[in-house]
């Protein structure tokens, strides 16, 4: 007897997101980081290690769907924890400690993803990627009022 496949919708997407995020959060607790900090570390690393503070705050509000004050608090926490340093009034950069923490998070995240996606055909993963990107674009447009 096979388990029926539920139709794709918000519940299925949400359950997959929360389950995989919980697996990552278990690692983040061990490392001493938070999910928001991990997103910020990736955002800065993706920009070569230095980014305009306003651009980082914008990326956090857009990606995490949080208020600007929450994104600002995350950046302030990271500066206090010496994960980021203010290179001037408008930019922040990864510190050596920040690079080390990001690398640890990235490595652990890749290991989790490898286990979660093991055995799923590449074509299926590509289809899911395209569909979820489209759903994200539409949801963002909905939030923007368009």
């Amino acid at each position: 007897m096979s388990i029926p496949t539920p139709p794709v919708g918000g519940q299925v997407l949400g359950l997959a997101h929360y389950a995989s995020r919980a697996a990552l959060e278990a690692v983040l607790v061990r490392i001493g980081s938070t999910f928001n900090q991990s997103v910020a570390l990736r955002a800065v690393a993706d920009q070569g290690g230095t980014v305009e503070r306003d651009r980082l705050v914008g990326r956090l509000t857009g990606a995490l769907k949080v208020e600007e004050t929450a994104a600002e608090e995350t950046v302030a926490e990271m500066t206090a924890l010496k994960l980021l340093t203010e290179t001037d009034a408008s930019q922040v950069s990864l510190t050596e400690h920040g690079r080390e923490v990001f690398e640890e998070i990235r490595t652990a995240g890749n290991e989790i993803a490898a286990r979660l996606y093991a055995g799923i055909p590449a074509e299926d993963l590509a289809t899911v990627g395209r569909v979820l990107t489209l759903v994200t674009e539409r949801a963002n447009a909905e939030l923007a009022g368009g």
Side-chain angles (χ1 to χ4, degrees):
M1 182 164 117
S2 66
I3 299 172
T5 302
V8 173
Q11 183 178 14
V12 171
L13 296 173
L15 290 173
H17 163 75
Y18 286 118
S20 58
R21 179 172 168 172
L24 178 61
E25 295 238 23
V27 171
L28 294 173
V29 167
R30 180 178 50 76
I31 292 171
S33 191
T34 67
F35 185 74
N36 289 11
Q37 291 172 5
S38 72
V39 172
L41 287 169
R42 171 156 313 272
V44 178
D46 285 352
Q47 296 299 310
T50 299
V51 68
E52 290 180 15
R53 184 185 183 97
D54 289 346
R55 185 171 181 180
L56 176 58
V57 168
R59 177 125 177 229
L60 292 173
T61 59
L64 298 172
K65 308 300 183 241
V66 297
E67 296 292 325
E68 188 173 319
T69 55
E72 289 280 1
E73 288 172 10
T74 297
V75 175
E77 287 170 5
M78 295 175 71
T79 302
L81 293 169
K82 308 281 190 241
L83 297 168
L84 296 175
T85 187
E86 293 183 7
T87 54
D88 65 34
S90 66
Q91 291 191 321
V92 293
S93 294
L94 289 173
T95 62
E96 188 58 37
H97 177 58
R99 288 181 195 285
E100 291 168 2
V101 169
F102 171 67
E103 192 58 35
E104 191 173 355
I105 293 168
R106 188 183 66 76
T107 299
N110 287 344
E111 291 169 356
I112 291 167
R115 289 190 300 273
L116 296 180
Y117 302 135
I120 300 174
E123 310 82 53
D124 290 351
L125 292 173
T127 299
V128 169
R130 284 190 305 276
V131 169
L132 292 179
T133 298
L134 180 58
V135 169
T136 301
E137 290 170 357
R138 289 178 178 179
N140 284 335
E142 184 85 15
L143 288 169

